[in-house]
Amino acid sequence: MIIDSHVHIFPEKIKQDRSGYFDNEPEFKLLYNSPKAKISTINDLIESMDEYQVDISIICGFPWAKPGVYKTKQ
């Protein structure tokens, strides 16, 4: 059994344009400022799990500083 013990997923709108989420979010900017840094949606995660035969992924919330980000509906 393969378990991925720490993953983050984001809405499609953040994946498409992450730049609007850097202001006052130093952790997000640190991890995702590089265009090489991959951002995954739930569908990306499932595809990756299937590809690499991962049985379980534990999705962790992201530590957003601004409540408006994590309370926004897709």
Side-chain angles (χ1 to χ4, degrees):
M1 176 177 284
I2 298 174
I3 300 173
D4 186 348
S5 64
H6 186 131
V7 300
H8 295 288
I9 57 171
F10 297 95
E12 185 66 33
K13 66 181 180 177
I14 293 177
K15 181 180 178 180
Q16 294 303 317
D17 183 14
R18 64 185 82 184
S19 64
Y21 296 87
F22 293 146
D23 291 342
N24 299 314
E25 296 291 353
E27 290 84 4
F28 184 75
K29 187 172 184 178
L30 176 70
L31 294 174
Y32 297 106
N33 192 33
S34 170
K36 293 180 182 180
K38 293 182 181 180
I39 290 183
S40 296
T41 65
I42 186 65
N43 292 329
D44 297 328
L45 174 60
I46 292 169
E47 288 175 16
S48 176
M49 290 174 69
D50 290 344
E51 181 179 350
Y52 295 102
Q53 300 177 351
V54 174
D55 299 297
I56 298 170
S57 288
I58 300 170
I59 300 170
C60 301
F62 197 81
W64 297 107
K66 295 186 285 188
V69 177
Y70 59 82
K71 291 183 179 181
T72 303
K73 294 181 181 181
Q74 290 189 15

